[in-house]
Amino acid sequence: MKKLYDNVYEFTHPLIQHKITMLRDKNTGTNEFRAIVDELGMLMGYEALSDLELEDIEVETPIEKCKSPVIAGRKLAIVPILRAGLGLVSGILALVPTAKVGHIGLYRDEVTHEPHEYYCKLPSPIEERVILVTDPMIATGGSAIDAINLIKQRGGKKIKMIGIIGAPEGVKRLHEAHPDIEIYVGHMDRGLNENAYICPGLGDAGDRIFGTK
Ligand code: PRP
Ligand code: URA
């Protein structure tokens, strides 16, 4: 993992880089695309959760009693930004099966590129949980900024955001709006085009995961 600047990280693991290349390929079909996003959820989630706090509990092995660490505190909250963020959830749940899952519904207006909220349901008490927000794409950053505003308005504090691909301008905007959260991207791409799509990117993540369009 490479620190790009304060609280902003880019994953460097070769498996993550390899899988992102498979996603970029326009000939990768829906089945394979969805499976790779799932695998990336697991790999990126594993990396982003490497600083979870531990506490010792007592356990009895077949040999003797000992103190041994478990994840401390409330269960993790995974919060996908609908729709595309859903694709990353099952891979993270494979790592942390006891996690709670919230949902934030946002869609980006095709003309203005501004996000519009249509749903928000979070596990309580949200203020006591580490919250992992997922969305494959951080383009203008508008959707991620609004999603995190919604989480903070409801009391969320310990927030991490993971995206497969980021645009430098959108990630910077997100960091400036929420300097306290950790932002992780699988790859920081060149930038946005006139339609606010990430270049080279992978196209429309939601459409490619769900086979719409
Ligand atoms: C995509 C993507 C992000 C958002 C990124 O979702 O999954 O949520 O755009 O763009 P931004 O950083 O400029 O806000 P979209 O709004 O297309 O909805 P979908 O997931 O339902 O396809
Ligand atoms: N949303 C996507 O799915 N892809 C982009 O490149 C930008 C926004």
Side-chain angles (χ1 to χ4, degrees):
M1 186 155 44
K2 183 165 82 183
K3 182 172 180 173
L4 298 180
Y5 47 93
D6 194 31
N7 265 349
V8 177
Y9 303 89
E10 184 177 43
F11 296 124
T12 50
H13 197 292
L15 286 173
I16 295 179
Q17 300 311 311
H18 179 93
K19 289 175 194 296
I20 290 175
T21 302
M22 304 293 106
L23 290 186
R24 291 191 195 278
D25 187 339
K26 67 177 184 183
N27 295 314
T28 298
T30 301
N31 266 356
E32 199 188 349
F33 193 93
R34 196 183 294 139
I36 296 169
V37 170
D38 187 49
E39 292 161 6
L40 280 167
M42 193 182 311
L43 292 171
M44 298 196 308
Y46 178 81
E47 295 257 31
L49 296 175
S50 63
D51 63 351
L52 282 183
E53 280 180 31
L54 294 169
E55 64 186 359
D56 276 346
I57 60 164
E58 193 171 88
V59 61
E60 190 167 358
T61 78
I63 312 298
E64 61 181 34
K65 284 185 180 167
C66 67
K67 299 252 188 212
S68 195
V70 293
I71 306 294
R74 288 274 185 184
K75 294 185 174 65
L76 178 78
I78 307 169
V79 180
I81 302 178
L82 306 179
R83 288 175 301 168
L86 278 176
L88 291 162
V89 173
S90 65
I92 304 169
L93 277 175
L95 296 173
V96 195
T98 57
K100 308 286 182 185
V101 182
H103 295 88
I104 292 181
L106 292 172
Y107 71 90
R108 213 170 70 141
D109 184 281
E110 284 182 10
V111 178
T112 65
H113 311 128
E114 289 295 320
H116 294 272
E117 179 199 338
Y118 59 87
Y119 190 75
C120 182
K121 179 95 178 169
L122 303 177
S124 63
I126 195 67
E127 62 276 12
E128 292 176 22
R129 301 180 191 277
V130 172
I131 303 157
L132 193 53
V133 182
T134 68
D135 193 329
M137 311 302 276
I138 306 173
T140 66
S143 302
I145 291 171
D146 277 16
I148 289 159
N149 282 337
L150 291 169
I151 293 170
K152 286 185 174 174
Q153 283 159 14
R154 287 157 176 78
K157 289 184 181 68
K158 294 170 271 180
I159 305 170
K160 295 167 181 271
M161 166 94 211
I162 59 171
I164 297 176
I165 297 186
E169 52 272 58
V171 172
K172 184 161 175 284
R173 201 176 144 219
L174 173 59
H175 171 67
E176 285 170 357
H178 296 293
D180 53 308
I181 74 156
E182 293 166 14
I183 306 169
Y184 298 89
V185 293
H187 195 269
M188 190 74 91
D189 272 15
R190 192 174 73 246
L192 299 173
N193 69 12
E194 60 284 6
N195 296 318
Y197 270 79
I198 301 177
C199 303
L202 48 73
D204 188 305
D207 283 344
R208 295 196 68 191
I209 291 169
F210 295 109
T212 45
K213 190 115 200 152

